[in-house]
Amino acid sequence: MRYTLFDNQRDVIILLARILLMILFIMSGWSKLTGFEGTVGYLASLGAPVPPVAAAVAVIMEFFVAIVLVLGFYTRPLAFLMALFVFGTALMGHHFWTMVDAERAANSVQFFKNMSIVGGMLLLSVTGAGKFSVDGR
């Protein structure tokens, strides 16, 4: 009874959550897509295996999968896949435990930001996309 407001607006809140979780990825993915060679170079500097393939995976996940998640299509499996992707990027790109001083502090924040996003993706993989989605139709 106490949570009636949330229960009545459940599907709207899930839609808003999908949009807010994916804004960052869509913008970042678009940047990676339009600056693909720079993305390959950056991933090579991080030591990513097969940087062109890693860059293609990043573009697919961050741009195309993010758009599909906003639309709410195959939400549960794609949200879980996105959680794995974000966890992997946190380990590869923000390994603050090997850094010192300001670099450590900045990467610590980025790492835990990624962990928060992983939490959101796991929650979305359990709740599903709600009524306002392709899955909900």
Side-chain angles (χ1 to χ4, degrees):
M1 188 82 162
R2 302 187 328 203
Y3 303 115
T4 306
L5 170 67
F6 297 111
D7 291 339
N8 291 341
Q9 299 302 317
R10 180 182 188 278
D11 293 305
V12 171
I13 293 169
I14 292 172
L15 171 63
L16 182 60
R18 289 194 335 258
I19 292 167
L20 292 174
L21 280 166
M22 292 299 104
I23 287 172
L24 172 69
F25 292 101
I26 292 169
M27 292 176 9
S28 179
W30 177 253
S31 176
K32 285 176 174 66
L33 178 63
T34 58
F36 192 77
E37 290 305 315
T39 301
V40 171
Y42 174 69
L43 291 174
S45 77
L46 292 177
V50 196
V53 173
V57 168
V59 167
I60 290 166
M61 292 301 296
E62 292 183 23
F63 188 69
F64 296 105
V65 170
I67 288 171
V68 171
L69 282 170
V70 168
L71 296 174
F73 186 62
Y74 283 96
T75 303
R76 290 174 186 243
L78 289 178
F80 187 76
L81 185 64
M82 183 67 84
L84 295 176
F85 171 77
V86 174
F87 183 71
T89 61
L91 291 176
M92 184 187 314
H94 303 297
H95 44 92
F96 68 94
W97 52 91
T98 67
M99 301 170 183
V100 295
D101 300 330
E103 185 181 33
R104 181 185 184 103
N107 278 277
S108 174
V109 169
Q110 293 300 315
F111 179 85
F112 288 108
K113 171 204 52 119
N114 279 27
M115 292 301 100
S116 296
I117 294 168
V118 168
M121 292 292 95
L122 291 174
L123 189 59
L124 189 57
S125 72
V126 171
T127 63
K131 181 172 73 173
F132 302 118
S133 65
V134 175
D135 290 348
R137 301 248 175 247

